[in-house]
PDB file of all heavy atoms in Angstrom:
ATOM      1  N   LYS Z   1      73.035  17.084  19.501  1.00 93.00           N
ATOM      2  CA  LYS Z   1      72.706  17.725  18.097  1.00 93.00           C
ATOM      3  C   LYS Z   1      74.019  17.620  17.311  1.00 93.00           C
ATOM      4  O   LYS Z   1      75.088  17.912  17.864  1.00 93.00           O
ATOM      5  CB  LYS Z   1      72.164  19.135  18.239  1.00 93.00           C
ATOM      6  CG  LYS Z   1      70.747  19.192  18.768  1.00 93.00           C
ATOM      7  CD  LYS Z   1      70.431  20.757  18.826  1.00 93.00           C
ATOM      8  CE  LYS Z   1      69.044  20.937  19.459  1.00 93.00           C
ATOM      9  NZ  LYS Z   1      68.796  22.403  19.448  1.00 93.00           N
ATOM     10  N   PRO Z   2      73.905  17.406  16.052  1.00 94.00           N
ATOM     11  CA  PRO Z   2      75.149  17.483  15.162  1.00 94.00           C
ATOM     12  C   PRO Z   2      75.630  18.953  15.113  1.00 94.00           C
ATOM     13  O   PRO Z   2      74.831  19.917  15.256  1.00 94.00           O
ATOM     14  CB  PRO Z   2      74.616  17.152  13.833  1.00 94.00           C
ATOM     15  CG  PRO Z   2      73.317  16.378  14.122  1.00 94.00           C
ATOM     16  CD  PRO Z   2      72.768  16.956  15.304  1.00 94.00           C
ATOM     17  N   PHE Z   3      76.862  19.123  14.942  1.00 96.00           N
ATOM     18  CA  PHE Z   3      77.500  20.402  14.835  1.00 96.00           C
ATOM     19  C   PHE Z   3      78.828  20.333  14.070  1.00 96.00           C
ATOM     20  O   PHE Z   3      79.324  19.177  13.955  1.00 96.00           O
ATOM     21  CB  PHE Z   3      77.765  21.039  16.233  1.00 96.00           C
ATOM     22  CG  PHE Z   3      78.828  20.434  16.999  1.00 96.00           C
ATOM     23  CD1 PHE Z   3      80.064  21.009  17.176  1.00 96.00           C
ATOM     24  CD2 PHE Z   3      78.500  19.283  17.802  1.00 96.00           C
ATOM     25  CE1 PHE Z   3      81.121  20.444  17.847  1.00 96.00           C
ATOM     26  CE2 PHE Z   3      79.576  18.718  18.522  1.00 96.00           C
ATOM     27  CZ  PHE Z   3      80.785  19.287  18.620  1.00 96.00           C
ATOM     28  N   GLU Z   4      79.301  21.509  13.640  1.00 96.00           N
ATOM     29  CA  GLU Z   4      80.503  21.573  12.915  1.00 96.00           C
ATOM     30  C   GLU Z   4      81.659  22.113  13.798  1.00 96.00           C
ATOM     31  O   GLU Z   4      81.316  22.926  14.663  1.00 96.00           O
ATOM     32  CB  GLU Z   4      80.453  22.541  11.801  1.00 96.00           C
ATOM     33  CG  GLU Z   4      79.683  22.144  10.515  1.00 96.00           C
ATOM     34  CD  GLU Z   4      79.771  23.258   9.493  1.00 96.00           C
ATOM     35  OE1 GLU Z   4      80.738  23.227   8.661  1.00 96.00           O
ATOM     36  OE2 GLU Z   4      78.860  24.202   9.656  1.00 96.00           O
ATOM     37  N   LEU Z   5      82.805  21.647  13.697  1.00 97.00           N
ATOM     38  CA  LEU Z   5      83.977  22.115  14.378  1.00 97.00           C
ATOM     39  C   LEU Z   5      85.007  22.486  13.227  1.00 97.00           C
ATOM     40  O   LEU Z   5      85.433  21.683  12.561  1.00 97.00           O
ATOM     41  CB  LEU Z   5      84.563  21.201  15.434  1.00 97.00           C
ATOM     42  CG  LEU Z   5      85.500  21.734  16.393  1.00 97.00           C
ATOM     43  CD1 LEU Z   5      85.635  20.959  17.650  1.00 97.00           C
ATOM     44  CD2 LEU Z   5      86.968  21.758  15.839  1.00 97.00           C
ATOM     45  N   VAL Z   6      85.301  23.735  13.137  1.00 96.00           N
ATOM     46  CA  VAL Z   6      86.224  24.285  12.043  1.00 96.00           C
ATOM     47  C   VAL Z   6      87.213  25.102  12.598  1.00 96.00           C
ATOM     48  O   VAL Z   6      87.183  25.568  13.691  1.00 96.00           O
ATOM     49  CB  VAL Z   6      85.337  24.958  10.977  1.00 96.00           C
ATOM     50  CG1 VAL Z   6      84.326  23.996  10.275  1.00 96.00           C
ATOM     51  CG2 VAL Z   6      84.679  26.269  11.557  1.00 96.00           C
ATOM     52  N   ASP Z   7      88.186  25.499  11.651  1.00 97.00           N
ATOM     53  CA  ASP Z   7      89.284  26.391  11.965  1.00 97.00           C
ATOM     54  C   ASP Z   7      90.102  26.051  13.160  1.00 97.00           C
ATOM     55  O   ASP Z   7      90.453  26.972  13.994  1.00 97.00           O
ATOM     56  CB  ASP Z   7      88.830  27.863  12.118  1.00 97.00           C
ATOM     57  CG  ASP Z   7      88.058  28.381  10.866  1.00 97.00           C
ATOM     58  OD1 ASP Z   7      88.311  27.904   9.722  1.00 97.00           O
ATOM     59  OD2 ASP Z   7      87.187  29.291  10.989  1.00 97.00           O
ATOM     60  N   LEU Z   8      90.398  24.736  13.366  1.00 97.00           N
ATOM     61  CA  LEU Z   8      91.117  24.338  14.462  1.00 97.00           C
ATOM     62  C   LEU Z   8      92.667  24.779  14.295  1.00 97.00           C
ATOM     63  O   LEU Z   8      93.209  24.585  13.356  1.00 97.00           O
ATOM     64  CB  LEU Z   8      91.243  22.820  14.499  1.00 97.00           C
ATOM     65  CG  LEU Z   8      91.881  22.055  15.630  1.00 97.00           C
ATOM     66  CD1 LEU Z   8      91.265  22.562  16.967  1.00 97.00           C
ATOM     67  CD2 LEU Z   8      91.894  20.513  15.504  1.00 97.00           C
ATOM     68  N   LEU Z   9      93.244  25.427  15.391  1.00 97.00           N
ATOM     69  CA  LEU Z   9      94.504  26.000  15.316  1.00 97.00           C
ATOM     70  C   LEU Z   9      95.130  25.897  16.720  1.00 97.00           C
ATOM     71  O   LEU Z   9      94.508  26.310  17.749  1.00 97.00           O
ATOM     72  CB  LEU Z   9      94.405  27.458  14.911  1.00 97.00           C
ATOM     73  CG  LEU Z   9      95.644  28.363  15.017  1.00 97.00           C
ATOM     74  CD1 LEU Z   9      96.639  27.933  13.906  1.00 97.00           C
ATOM     75  CD2 LEU Z   9      95.353  29.718  14.820  1.00 97.00           C
ATOM     76  N   HIS Z  10      96.435  25.386  16.711  1.00 97.00           N
ATOM     77  CA  HIS Z  10      97.186  25.415  17.897  1.00 97.00           C
ATOM     78  C   HIS Z  10      98.201  26.425  17.914  1.00 97.00           C
ATOM     79  O   HIS Z  10      99.059  26.627  17.049  1.00 97.00           O
ATOM     80  CB  HIS Z  10      97.888  24.046  18.036  1.00 97.00           C
ATOM     81  CG  HIS Z  10      98.921  24.005  19.150  1.00 97.00           C
ATOM     82  ND1 HIS Z  10     100.239  23.525  19.047  1.00 97.00           N
ATOM     83  CD2 HIS Z  10      98.775  24.354  20.519  1.00 97.00           C
ATOM     84  CE1 HIS Z  10     100.810  23.585  20.225  1.00 97.00           C
ATOM     85  NE2 HIS Z  10      99.990  24.168  21.112  1.00 97.00           N
ATOM     86  N   GLU Z  11      98.161  27.405  19.053  1.00 96.00           N
ATOM     87  CA  GLU Z  11      99.149  28.453  19.134  1.00 96.00           C
ATOM     88  C   GLU Z  11      99.961  28.218  20.431  1.00 96.00           C
ATOM     89  O   GLU Z  11      99.558  28.595  21.425  1.00 96.00           O
ATOM     90  CB  GLU Z  11      98.433  29.785  19.268  1.00 96.00           C
ATOM     91  CG  GLU Z  11      97.630  30.168  17.986  1.00 96.00           C
ATOM     92  CD  GLU Z  11      96.797  31.398  18.298  1.00 96.00           C
ATOM     93  OE1 GLU Z  11      96.609  31.876  19.390  1.00 96.00           O
ATOM     94  OE2 GLU Z  11      96.357  31.948  17.077  1.00 96.00           O
ATOM     95  N   PRO Z  12     101.143  27.617  20.188  1.00 95.00           N
ATOM     96  CA  PRO Z  12     102.015  27.336  21.332  1.00 95.00           C
ATOM     97  C   PRO Z  12     102.714  28.530  21.975  1.00 95.00           C
ATOM     98  O   PRO Z  12     102.958  29.419  21.058  1.00 95.00           O
ATOM     99  CB  PRO Z  12     103.048  26.372  20.912  1.00 95.00           C
ATOM    100  CG  PRO Z  12     103.111  26.575  19.331  1.00 95.00           C
ATOM    101  CD  PRO Z  12     101.704  27.083  18.966  1.00 95.00           C
ATOM    102  N   MET Z  13     102.951  28.638  23.195  1.00 92.00           N
ATOM    103  CA  MET Z  13     103.833  29.601  23.668  1.00 92.00           C
ATOM    104  C   MET Z  13     105.320  29.420  23.310  1.00 92.00           C
ATOM    105  O   MET Z  13     105.617  28.168  23.316  1.00 92.00           O
ATOM    106  CB  MET Z  13     103.695  29.734  25.296  1.00 92.00           C
ATOM    107  CG  MET Z  13     102.440  30.275  25.726  1.00 92.00           C
ATOM    108  SD  MET Z  13     102.444  30.374  27.520  1.00 92.00           S
ATOM    109  CE  MET Z  13     101.714  31.834  27.893  1.00 92.00           C
ATOM    110  N   GLY Z  14     105.993  30.299  22.934  1.00 85.00           N
ATOM    111  CA  GLY Z  14     107.427  30.159  22.500  1.00 85.00           C
ATOM    112  C   GLY Z  14     108.299  30.242  23.714  1.00 85.00           C
ATOM    113  O   GLY Z  14     107.985  30.703  24.680  1.00 85.00           O
ATOM    114  N   VAL Z  15     109.476  29.645  23.476  1.00 81.00           N
ATOM    115  CA  VAL Z  15     110.474  29.614  24.554  1.00 81.00           C
ATOM    116  C   VAL Z  15     110.918  30.953  24.810  1.00 81.00           C
ATOM    117  O   VAL Z  15     111.712  31.195  25.922  1.00 81.00           O
ATOM    118  CB  VAL Z  15     111.672  28.758  24.104  1.00 81.00           C
ATOM    119  CG1 VAL Z  15     111.285  27.253  24.028  1.00 81.00           C
ATOM    120  CG2 VAL Z  15     112.306  29.066  22.927  1.00 81.00           C
ATOM    121  N   GLN Z  16     110.787  31.957  24.081  1.00 83.00           N
ATOM    122  CA  GLN Z  16     111.186  33.245  24.471  1.00 83.00           C
ATOM    123  C   GLN Z  16     110.404  33.799  25.647  1.00 83.00           C
ATOM    124  O   GLN Z  16     110.649  34.800  26.268  1.00 83.00           O
ATOM    125  CB  GLN Z  16     111.048  34.349  23.370  1.00 83.00           C
ATOM    126  CG  GLN Z  16     109.538  34.678  22.865  1.00 83.00           C
ATOM    127  CD  GLN Z  16     109.029  33.597  21.872  1.00 83.00           C
ATOM    128  OE1 GLN Z  16     109.514  32.531  21.734  1.00 83.00           O
ATOM    129  NE2 GLN Z  16     107.854  34.015  21.335  1.00 83.00           N
ATOM    130  N   GLN Z  17     109.285  33.149  25.942  1.00 84.00           N
ATOM    131  CA  GLN Z  17     108.434  33.580  27.190  1.00 84.00           C
ATOM    132  C   GLN Z  17     109.008  32.957  28.388  1.00 84.00           C
ATOM    133  O   GLN Z  17     109.330  31.721  28.369  1.00 84.00           O
ATOM    134  CB  GLN Z  17     106.892  33.209  26.906  1.00 84.00           C
ATOM    135  CG  GLN Z  17     106.384  34.221  25.870  1.00 84.00           C
ATOM    136  CD  GLN Z  17     104.993  33.923  25.474  1.00 84.00           C
ATOM    137  OE1 GLN Z  17     104.699  32.852  25.027  1.00 84.00           O
ATOM    138  NE2 GLN Z  17     104.130  34.834  25.755  1.00 84.00           N
ATOM    139  N   LYS Z  18     109.259  33.608  29.337  1.00 88.00           N
ATOM    140  CA  LYS Z  18     109.862  33.124  30.702  1.00 88.00           C
ATOM    141  C   LYS Z  18     109.272  31.765  31.137  1.00 88.00           C
ATOM    142  O   LYS Z  18     107.990  31.650  31.286  1.00 88.00           O
ATOM    143  CB  LYS Z  18     109.818  34.191  31.713  1.00 88.00           C
ATOM    144  CG  LYS Z  18     110.644  33.809  32.926  1.00 88.00           C
ATOM    145  CD  LYS Z  18     110.654  34.938  33.869  1.00 88.00           C
ATOM    146  CE  LYS Z  18     111.442  34.525  35.061  1.00 88.00           C
ATOM    147  NZ  LYS Z  18     111.521  35.586  36.112  1.00 88.00           N
ATOM    148  N   GLY Z  19     110.114  30.851  31.341  1.00 90.00           N
ATOM    149  CA  GLY Z  19     109.719  29.558  31.990  1.00 90.00           C
ATOM    150  C   GLY Z  19     108.979  28.567  31.015  1.00 90.00           C
ATOM    151  O   GLY Z  19     108.824  27.442  31.420  1.00 90.00           O
ATOM    152  N   ILE Z  20     108.910  28.890  29.776  1.00 94.00           N
ATOM    153  CA  ILE Z  20     108.317  27.948  28.776  1.00 94.00           C
ATOM    154  C   ILE Z  20     109.399  27.047  28.259  1.00 94.00           C
ATOM    155  O   ILE Z  20     110.470  27.350  27.784  1.00 94.00           O
ATOM    156  CB  ILE Z  20     107.702  28.703  27.622  1.00 94.00           C
ATOM    157  CG1 ILE Z  20     106.508  29.527  28.118  1.00 94.00           C
ATOM    158  CG2 ILE Z  20     107.144  27.788  26.549  1.00 94.00           C
ATOM    159  CD1 ILE Z  20     105.424  28.772  28.763  1.00 94.00           C
ATOM    160  N   ALA Z  21     109.149  25.574  28.262  1.00 93.00           N
ATOM    161  CA  ALA Z  21     109.995  24.645  27.830  1.00 93.00           C
ATOM    162  C   ALA Z  21     109.940  24.525  26.382  1.00 93.00           C
ATOM    163  O   ALA Z  21     108.914  24.652  25.698  1.00 93.00           O
ATOM    164  CB  ALA Z  21     109.740  23.239  28.534  1.00 93.00           C
ATOM    165  N   PRO Z  22     111.165  24.175  25.756  1.00 93.00           N
ATOM    166  CA  PRO Z  22     111.061  24.020  24.189  1.00 93.00           C
ATOM    167  C   PRO Z  22     110.278  22.580  24.079  1.00 93.00           C
ATOM    168  O   PRO Z  22     110.465  21.666  24.766  1.00 93.00           O
ATOM    169  CB  PRO Z  22     112.561  23.865  23.885  1.00 93.00           C
ATOM    170  CG  PRO Z  22     113.287  23.508  25.203  1.00 93.00           C
ATOM    171  CD  PRO Z  22     112.479  24.039  26.283  1.00 93.00           C
ATOM    172  N   ALA Z  23     109.543  22.653  22.846  1.00 94.00           N
ATOM    173  CA  ALA Z  23     108.816  21.440  22.546  1.00 94.00           C
ATOM    174  C   ALA Z  23     108.594  21.454  21.176  1.00 94.00           C
ATOM    175  O   ALA Z  23     108.420  22.505  20.448  1.00 94.00           O
ATOM    176  CB  ALA Z  23     107.472  21.375  23.364  1.00 94.00           C
ATOM    177  N   GLU Z  24     108.620  20.164  20.438  1.00 95.00           N
ATOM    178  CA  GLU Z  24     108.255  20.199  19.105  1.00 95.00           C
ATOM    179  C   GLU Z  24     106.875  19.498  19.014  1.00 95.00           C
ATOM    180  O   GLU Z  24     106.752  18.331  19.364  1.00 95.00           O
ATOM    181  CB  GLU Z  24     109.345  19.377  18.284  1.00 95.00           C
ATOM    182  CG  GLU Z  24     109.045  19.420  16.845  1.00 95.00           C
ATOM    183  CD  GLU Z  24     110.105  18.735  16.026  1.00 95.00           C
ATOM    184  OE1 GLU Z  24     111.361  18.843  16.365  1.00 95.00           O
ATOM    185  OE2 GLU Z  24     109.832  17.903  15.142  1.00 95.00           O
ATOM    186  N   TYR Z  25     105.834  20.257  18.598  1.00 96.00           N
ATOM    187  CA  TYR Z  25     104.423  19.820  18.497  1.00 96.00           C
ATOM    188  C   TYR Z  25     104.289  19.060  17.235  1.00 96.00           C
ATOM    189  O   TYR Z  25     104.698  19.586  16.166  1.00 96.00           O
ATOM    190  CB  TYR Z  25     103.519  21.018  18.720  1.00 96.00           C
ATOM    191  CG  TYR Z  25     103.453  21.450  20.090  1.00 96.00           C
ATOM    192  CD1 TYR Z  25     104.340  22.565  20.529  1.00 96.00           C
ATOM    193  CD2 TYR Z  25     102.760  20.861  21.225  1.00 96.00           C
ATOM    194  CE1 TYR Z  25     104.263  23.001  21.819  1.00 96.00           C
ATOM    195  CE2 TYR Z  25     102.800  21.404  22.442  1.00 96.00           C
ATOM    196  CZ  TYR Z  25     103.575  22.463  22.793  1.00 96.00           C
ATOM    197  OH  TYR Z  25     103.652  22.952  24.073  1.00 96.00           O
ATOM    198  N   GLN Z  26     103.513  18.133  17.321  1.00 96.00           N
ATOM    199  CA  GLN Z  26     102.913  17.447  16.141  1.00 96.00           C
ATOM    200  C   GLN Z  26     101.694  18.218  15.643  1.00 96.00           C
ATOM    201  O   GLN Z  26     101.166  18.899  16.456  1.00 96.00           O
ATOM    202  CB  GLN Z  26     102.462  15.899  16.484  1.00 96.00           C
ATOM    203  CG  GLN Z  26     103.616  15.043  16.947  1.00 96.00           C
ATOM    204  CD  GLN Z  26     103.056  13.837  17.737  1.00 96.00           C
ATOM    205  OE1 GLN Z  26     101.901  13.753  18.006  1.00 96.00           O
ATOM    206  NE2 GLN Z  26     103.970  12.944  17.966  1.00 96.00           N
ATOM    207  N   PRO Z  27     101.245  18.082  14.385  1.00 96.00           N
ATOM    208  CA  PRO Z  27     100.176  18.736  13.972  1.00 96.00           C
ATOM    209  C   PRO Z  27      98.951  18.395  14.732  1.00 96.00           C
ATOM    210  O   PRO Z  27      98.742  17.111  15.044  1.00 96.00           O
ATOM    211  CB  PRO Z  27      99.932  18.257  12.523  1.00 96.00           C
ATOM    212  CG  PRO Z  27     101.388  18.013  12.002  1.00 96.00           C
ATOM    213  CD  PRO Z  27     102.015  17.381  13.328  1.00 96.00           C
ATOM    214  N   ILE Z  28      98.194  19.318  15.137  1.00 97.00           N
ATOM    215  CA  ILE Z  28      96.976  19.002  15.970  1.00 97.00           C
ATOM    216  C   ILE Z  28      96.019  18.196  15.104  1.00 97.00           C
ATOM    217  O   ILE Z  28      95.947  18.428  13.886  1.00 97.00           O
ATOM    218  CB  ILE Z  28      96.266  20.234  16.580  1.00 97.00           C
ATOM    219  CG1 ILE Z  28      95.352  19.923  17.584  1.00 97.00           C
ATOM    220  CG2 ILE Z  28      95.765  21.050  15.426  1.00 97.00           C
ATOM    221  CD1 ILE Z  28      94.937  21.127  18.381  1.00 97.00           C
ATOM    222  N   THR Z  29      95.282  17.201  15.707  1.00 97.00           N
ATOM    223  CA  THR Z  29      94.462  16.444  14.924  1.00 97.00           C
ATOM    224  C   THR Z  29      92.967  16.402  15.332  1.00 97.00           C
ATOM    225  O   THR Z  29      92.717  16.754  16.637  1.00 97.00           O
ATOM    226  CB  THR Z  29      94.747  14.935  14.940  1.00 97.00           C
ATOM    227  OG1 THR Z  29      94.665  14.433  16.227  1.00 97.00           O
ATOM    228  CG2 THR Z  29      96.188  14.730  14.329  1.00 97.00           C
TER     229      THR Z  29
END
């Protein structure tokens, strides 16, 4: 069935959190 997908959002973990690597994310598509 057709459906809508809306309000797409990426929330990365920040490097201030233990063990998280720095990364530069591209806008999610």
Side-chain angles (χ1 to χ4, degrees):
K1 293 181 184 175
F3 69 100
E4 288 181 90
L5 192 154
V6 297
D7 298 338
L8 182 63
L9 174 67
H10 172 225
E11 296 176 346
M13 288 180 137
V15 292
Q16 70 277 10
Q17 292 177 295
K18 188 175 180 180
I20 297 298
E24 187 172 318
Y25 290 94
Q26 300 162 349
I28 193 165
T29 63

